[in-house]
Amino acid sequence: MSQTHSLSSRERCPRASGLESLLPLVSSVEETPEPIPTTIKGTIPAWINGSFLRNGPGKFEFGDDRYNHWFDGMALMHRFHICQGSVTYCSRFLRSDSYVNNSEKNRIMISEFGTSAMPDPCKNFLERFLSRFQLPKATDNANVNFVKYKGDYYVSTETNYMRRVDPQSLETKEKVDWSQYIAINSATAHPHYDHEGASYNMGSSYGRSGYFYNIIRVPPPTTATEDSADLTGAEVICSIPAAQSRKPSYFHSFVMSENYIVFVEQPIKLDLLRFMLYKIQGKPFQKIMTWEPRCDVIFHLVDKHTGQESEVKYRAAPMFTLHQINAFEDNGFLVMDMCCGDDGEIIGDFTLENLRRESVQEMDEFYNSLCRNLPRRYVLPLNVDEQTPLDQNLVTLSYCKATATKTKPGEVYVTHEELHGDELLQYGGLEFPQINYNKHNGKPYRYFYACGFGHVFADSLLKMDVRTKELKVWRYPGLYPSEPVFVASPKAAEEDDGVVLSVIITPRKEKSTFLLVLDAKTFTELGRAEVPVNIPCGTHGVFNEMG
């Protein structure tokens, strides 16, 4: 049988007590544009040669204007350059239009996720009133991730704008508008890459014919002739109509195996009518997101090579997911692992007011109100047709407890397997999963690495064995790690031969940041590179080999 629980993921994790304030981790910092040396403790393996690039919000006010939400902060890019056992650090603010305009006017000029820009006081009353009825200009404050298309690095958020960047100097290059290449209005900051070098992503589009979720393919890099952004050849390979065109689902990422892409249509909804109303009222984007647990999850299965969507609809109980772990095919089944929660209200909760609570009691209450995300496995049978019997479990993989049952022609209901043991609950669940991507993305795998959430921000690093569901843990009081990134060793023979990199920050002591290097196999510390700067809590990062 599959594993189902009457308790939500939050109720299954222990309640916290005595949590410390995280105010310093969500405060503005200065950039460090020129590389500075770090102090090495322990040993940084000499074979690591490249740059650990990180992104995230780093400035939360302009003049007297303050941002409301953590996602709104101006993008600050970080680079830890590792070579021959030594490490240097630098950082730069992305010179987005948002950053430049805000800096010039010393006020917030462009709306972000949780903060609406107020009409320009230099305009007359009529101009300010009419500006309420104009569609807001999408931000290019790309503070979520570093992504790669055709060999070039970009920083990305979830609008139609990206910024090309130099991964060595962190210099901001040209602004790129997806809609100049393909008919989409937004794209995720979590593309996937295949072994031929093509990139896949998902974006949304809307118009008179409705709202669509689009699968995008960008071809592999060609020999570059000039130093400029190039998304030519990008194409939409499949458009999936939203189940509710006026209330489409929010999505942050998607599933990809060797031959399939799966879009997860989940019950976090974007209320488009409310969007238009809130624009007139000057309310922020986050307010249009609603959690509607009356709606099932729908997994849309698409052939990656033909762009053809399966006629079978795979349904599951309401849940929400931000990040996928991995997916692979096995003997006529698609196995999908992802971090899931039972309460999709979480995204709007990360306001700076909440994150900066200084009272222990208030911080405990806030943390204990949040959803906990746990790893789950879903299995989709790929060969469902008229002859497939009704009302019996179709999953025959011996290592899977997940189920899939054909409930009527063209519809399969799936239940998940918990991809963890009870030990994980004491670490508050997990998020920000990473794998040995180059060797195991879209293929069978054994290990993933993630952050444990015993506080509002991650307070531990975890290694999960998906076969045995055993954990290895790195955790020390007062230390808050970033998303772990795996780097394989040059002569790796096994999946976990390599290191895990994470940036560790603390609210307890000024300028006490360090880059942590763990042995991926034993999950013990090899060394750290201490850097005398303050770094706010960030989002995602990548390792750029030979950077």
Side-chain angles (χ1 to χ4, degrees), residues 411-452:
E411 194 161 298
V412 171
Y413 192 83
V414 299
T415 67
H416 66 270
E417 172 186 351
E418 301 285 357
L419 205 59
H420 63 89
D422 287 344
E423 183 188 3
L424 174 62
L425 302 177
Q426 68 180 301
Y427 297 103
L430 58 79
E431 254 297 346
F432 295 124
Q434 290 280 329
I435 61 170
N436 180 342
Y437 192 94
N438 290 343
K439 286 288 197 303
H440 289 273
N441 183 55
K443 297 179 179 180
Y445 75 114
R446 182 163 182 177
Y447 304 107
F448 72 87
Y449 312 91
C451 288

Side-chain angles (χ1 to χ4, degrees), residues 55-83:
N55 200 350
K59 183 174 174 61
F60 300 97
E61 62 280 311
F62 285 92
D64 294 331
D65 289 359
R66 302 284 185 269
Y67 287 117
N68 297 323
H69 200 282
W70 179 52
F71 295 173
D72 300 341
M74 293 292 99
L76 181 60
M77 302 174 288
H78 310 267
R79 177 182 185 243
F80 288 87
H81 183 60
I82 310 168
C83 184

